[in-house]
Amino acid sequence: MSYKILAINPGSTSTKVALYEEERPLFDFTLRHTTEELAEFPEIIQQLDWRRGQILEALRERNVSLDELAAVIGRGGLIRPVPAGVYEVNSRMRHDLRNAKMKHACNLGGLLAAQIAHMAHVKAYIADPPVVDEMDDVARITGMPMCTRSPISHALNQKATARLHCERAGLAYEKTNLIVAHMGGGISVAAHRQGRIVDVNNALDGDGPFAPDRAGSIPSSELIKACFSGKYTEAELLRFVSSKGGLVAHLGTNSVMQAMERIAQGDERARKVMDAMCYNIAKQICAMAAPMAGRVDAIVLTGGIAFNEPIVKYISTHCAFLAPVSVYPGENELESLAINALVVLRGTVEPKVYQ
């Protein structure tokens, strides 16, 4: 018997879906959501039924019967911090996804999986959600006791790419020290020490390098001055942190490709801003050597930005003294989801219980 697995990855302006038979992808597609369509839903959670309908219609067009499915797995959301692993979607998780304080389309992943799995009479799962927390306690403490560090990262792709690198290099993930940089709309740089992400910047909420649409770490006094300047509302400043900072704030675009085109046309400001983003990524990578006392087996670059050779070259030039640099472009999140569901179906891994 072979297992067919439906994987769902909701993003802010799209929903990516793939059907796998064991490790083999049968097809994948991306449902694009226009600004006008999304404007009809004041809250992200209100998009749930609409997105589910689009997925089901696309499956019907491809002659996929839900009876064929052995499991449905969705991208994890911003639930309570959990250890890495595969989790069955239960009632407590559904409640927390619906009522999450941090609003993001990833919160729809487990809910979409649960609804479609219910229709197919199979189980729903998530794997390695963004709130995976394996951090060392020393990494949490800051100079202000009321402001602790917490991880929100691209844990799904971080873990999957780290394991892929170890598999190709003939290494055991649980015995290897890696620094993994996921570079996309947000950028997370993590220290993987013998199978655990012991330190990582908060890629959503203002920490680490600035990114295409996120502000990253800001000098504290300057941020406080901006907060009390009277020029910005609280909502505007929060958007700077999570969606309107970085390249958007400097260049008016979150497209690295457009920024590189402007550089090719002689735009000196675009060049300086892109160099600064790459510099900050490289600096964060080097900082992540500290949790492993400098004993780093490899630096792994992944995410959509890793397709850009000049950026990879810049970062590698500034980091290769630490360890060899390997590049795995793209997100590979649908494949990662499917593989996580497959190991559960095969009985290799026991799903964890969200409590």
Side-chain angles (χ1 to χ4, degrees):
M1 175 184 174
S2 63
Y3 297 110
K4 287 188 178 180
I5 300 162
L6 187 69
I8 303 171
N9 182 3
S12 57
T13 59
S14 68
T15 305
K16 298 177 181 178
V17 182
L19 182 66
Y20 278 76
E21 184 168 18
E22 305 279 318
E23 296 94 345
R24 182 169 66 93
L26 299 180
F27 61 78
D28 63 81
F29 56 86
T30 300
L31 301 169
R32 304 288 180 185
H33 311 313
T34 67
T35 303
E36 293 74 21
E37 289 174 327
L38 296 173
E40 297 182 15
F41 305 98
E43 299 290 338
I44 291 174
I45 192 63
Q46 296 172 351
Q47 300 171 16
L48 178 61
D49 292 343
W50 174 67
R51 292 205 194 206
R52 184 193 68 229
Q54 288 198 324
I55 294 170
L56 293 174
E57 178 61 28
L59 293 175
R60 282 193 292 269
E61 290 174 356
R62 290 161 176 82
N63 298 314
V64 176
S65 169
L66 297 185
D67 294 337
E68 302 174 30
L69 301 180
V72 185
I73 186 165
R75 180 184 180 188
L78 300 171
I79 50 179
R80 291 194 300 276
V82 294
V86 185
Y87 290 80
E88 184 176 341
V89 180
N90 57 19
S91 58
R92 186 180 295 273
M93 185 186 295
R94 293 197 301 272
H95 174 272
D96 286 358
L97 288 170
R98 285 183 176 275
N99 299 281
K101 292 181 180 179
M102 291 179 285
K103 309 302 180 183
H104 192 279
C106 66
N107 292 331
L108 299 174
L111 296 171
L112 288 166
Q115 290 187 349
I116 295 175
H118 178 74
M119 298 172 65
H121 306 292
V122 297
K123 291 184 177 181
Y125 303 97
I126 66 166
D128 293 336
V131 291
V132 162
D133 188 349
E134 302 170 328
M135 284 177 68
D136 286 344
D137 287 341
V138 293
R140 305 177 191 278
I141 299 171
T142 74
M144 296 180 68
M146 72 290 287
C147 299
T148 57
R149 294 183 65 238
S150 58
I152 300 179
S153 69
H154 305 87
L156 178 63
N157 191 45
Q158 283 263 352
K159 288 278 187 178
T161 307
R163 291 190 180 100
L164 175 61
H165 173 80
C166 289
E167 180 183 333
R168 292 184 177 178
L171 302 170
Y173 175 58
E174 291 73 16
K175 296 181 180 179
T176 304
N177 290 342
L178 302 172
I179 300 172
V180 182
H182 174 105
M183 304 180 296
I187 295 171
S188 59
V189 183
H192 294 243
R193 190 178 67 211
Q194 298 181 3
R196 292 174 53 237
I197 297 178
V198 296
D199 198 356
V200 62
N201 62 293
N202 185 325
L204 177 66
D205 232 7
D207 189 20
F210 72 82
D213 57 15
R214 295 170 200 177
S217 298
I218 306 294
S220 303
S221 59
E222 295 303 315
L223 179 58
I224 292 170
K225 290 175 186 177
C227 290
F228 287 90
S229 68
K231 296 179 181 179
Y232 311 100
T233 66
E234 179 184 1
E236 287 172 334
L237 287 168
L238 288 172
R239 283 195 292 271
F240 263 114
V241 168
S242 64
S243 61
K244 299 295 182 183
L247 297 187
V248 171
H250 284 287
L251 303 177
T253 180
N254 65 358
S255 169
V256 170
M257 186 176 298
Q258 288 182 18
M260 297 303 289
E261 289 173 353
R262 286 164 60 171
I263 293 171
Q265 295 166 5
D267 187 329
E268 185 63 15
R269 175 170 171 75
R271 184 190 65 77
K272 286 184 178 181
V273 171
M274 285 300 300
D275 281 354
M277 188 179 79
C278 294
Y279 170 81
N280 276 271
I281 296 170
K283 186 166 69 170
Q284 186 76 14
I285 288 172
C286 293
M288 285 299 145
M292 298 175 287
R295 293 188 289 272
V296 182
D297 295 301
I299 296 167
V300 176
L301 306 181
T302 184
I305 296 177
F307 282 109
N308 191 291
E309 292 184 8
I311 290 177
V312 168
K313 182 178 180 181
Y314 185 107
I315 295 170
S316 299
T317 298
H318 288 75
C319 297
F321 69 93
L322 279 177
V325 178
S326 295
V327 184
Y328 298 84
E331 297 176 349
N332 307 312
E333 289 181 331
L334 290 170
E335 179 183 5
S336 302
L337 288 170
I339 290 172
N340 274 289
L342 183 60
V343 294
V344 168
L345 291 170
R346 288 175 172 172
T348 306
V349 168
E350 185 75 18
K352 297 182 178 180
V353 178
Y354 179 72
Q355 298 177 334

